[in-house]
Amino acid sequence: MTKGPDEQHERPAGKSSTGKPSTGDSPPATPLDPATINELYQQHANELRRFLLGVLRDPQAAADAMQSALVKAVELGHTAADETRKAWLFRVAYHEALATRRRETTTDRILQTAVWHVSTTERESAAESASRREQAAAVRAALARLPEQLQTVVRLRIHDNLTFAEIAARLEIPLGTALTRMRTALAKLKAVLTEHEP
Amino acid sequence: MTNMTEPEHDLDWLAFCYAAGELDTQQAAAFEQLLATDQDARERLAAAVALSQQIAESPDLAPAAKPRRRTLERLAWLSMGVALLVGAVWLGRSFFPDDGIAPLSLDKNGNMALAAAWADSLEDPAQTPPDEVIDETDTATPAATDELISEDGLDVPDWMLAALGGDEAATEPTEEEPELNYDELMPEDSLDESTLQEG
């Protein structure tokens, strides 16, 4: 499994990995000003919400975890270096999400739910809304350009919510073929989505 | 579900499978360990969620194989039904010709028989009441039109009559337009034969 940036890279300055203030010679820091917090929110809120939705599969739980993370950002965000503040925010939010999920007794069921079956309403500005519509149009166009074999697998997996095993049985193809088709389709679609990122 | 033992499974695919609920408990736990430390993995998960939601909202996906086969089957049944219906009507006309319509013959002169049947079905113009015959050569004057209108008891507004009169005036033949003299339109210093020869 590929390992990404190590934990030390995203650890906030003046904090230990446990989240408690370190007792070393860290400089006294002042809390982040509201403008910085607002900027942090504007920049990362939607991405953070999607990430939390991917972990929790529940819009309300994701919203709660996000709110808790933002509260911590107000209280402790100043302890994170500017360049790692986003990673710090995501890590704090992730721990909040796990804490939320531990309180649930249906973790397995949550993890077996496809995230696109969770209805969400994102709060977004007019510019974000326009960008999202543009992305949606680009994805639709890219979907239409896909070979029919790939479209069929995407449709069965996402619209009809069949598992890959069920798709393979339905289309009478090996499981590996179904996986490869989906993977190829996603790679193509993601390239389109990345092109149209704001 | 996905094969995590592949040597090069990319993070995007893993994130999608996690978001799709395709990972078993152990695989999901392994991916969540990655999420705890790897910001790239977190961002890939957010991107996978965004992409799958965009796809889910898209209605333009091709129909699956089975429904399309079902549609073709329905079309086949429908055309078979239409063919049977046409055949039944044809046979009914052939076996029960007493409904006033002569049965059509399918001999060598089929086209002639069809034309004759069509001609017979037309009404004889001589038997048509005179008031229903439209005389295309009738050039009724506005006065005659007025008489017809008054006989029918129609109340036609004056402006409509005026418009009709205007139309007739407009369609009256005008004086013949003089033919254009193209020699006059050509400039005097236009190309002559000597110019062409010099060229």
Side-chain angles (χ1 to χ4, degrees), chain A:
Chain A
M1 186 175 290
T2 309
K3 287 283 180 186
D6 60 15
E7 198 172 355
Q8 190 177 3
H9 176 71
E10 64 184 50
R11 189 174 300 156
K15 296 279 288 183
S16 71
S17 61
T18 58
K20 293 177 183 173
S22 61
T23 54
D25 52 355
S26 56
T30 55
L32 293 176
D33 60 289
T36 307
I37 293 287
N38 186 46
E39 189 184 344
L40 197 64
Y41 177 81
Q42 295 294 338
Q43 282 180 346
H44 307 304
N46 282 334
E47 190 179 12
L48 184 60
R49 190 178 293 115
R50 288 182 202 123
F51 165 65
L52 290 171
L53 200 61
V55 175
L56 291 168
R57 323 286 161 90
D58 179 354
Q60 188 55 51
D64 291 345
M66 188 159 145
Q67 190 172 357
S68 301
L70 287 171
V71 168
K72 290 216 166 161
V74 172
E75 293 170 356
L76 302 168
H78 59 279
T79 60
D82 283 345
E83 66 271 17
T84 61
R85 197 163 280 151
K86 178 184 178 184
W88 178 86
L89 183 64
F90 270 65
R91 185 166 61 85
V92 169
Y94 179 61
H95 288 299
E96 291 295 326
L98 290 185
T100 301
R101 215 169 63 185
R102 271 194 292 273
R103 288 194 288 273
E104 303 283 338
T105 56
T106 54
T107 301
D108 286 344
R109 186 185 57 77
I110 289 171
L111 287 177
Q112 287 167 5
T113 304
V115 72
W116 53 83
H117 285 164
V118 177
S119 62
T120 55
T121 49
E122 293 189 2
R123 270 181 254 160
E124 51 191 14
S125 65
E128 286 169 337
S129 178
S131 170
R132 190 170 144 77
R133 279 199 300 273
E134 188 186 338
Q135 281 184 337
V139 167
R140 273 201 298 277
L143 268 171
R145 285 197 301 270
L146 284 179
E148 194 177 329
Q149 288 182 331
L150 303 189
Q151 281 191 46
T152 302
V153 173
V154 172
R155 179 190 180 281
L156 290 173
R157 182 64 194 92
I158 292 188
H159 280 199
D160 296 359
N161 200 32
L162 299 186
T163 64
F164 288 121
E166 290 168 336
I167 293 169
R170 167 82 69 95
L171 300 179
E172 297 175 354
I173 55 175
L175 175 61
T177 305
L179 291 171
T180 303
R181 286 181 188 175
M182 187 74 194
R183 194 169 173 173
T184 307
L186 286 176
K188 288 175 185 287
L189 294 174
K190 195 188 175 197
V192 171
L193 201 62
T194 307
E195 274 177 24
H196 290 82
E197 269 181 357

Side-chain angles (χ1 to χ4, degrees), chain B residues 100-112:
Chain B
I101 301 172
L104 297 178
S105 60
L106 291 173
D107 56 4
K108 274 192 271 183
N109 299 323
N111 288 337
M112 290 300 293

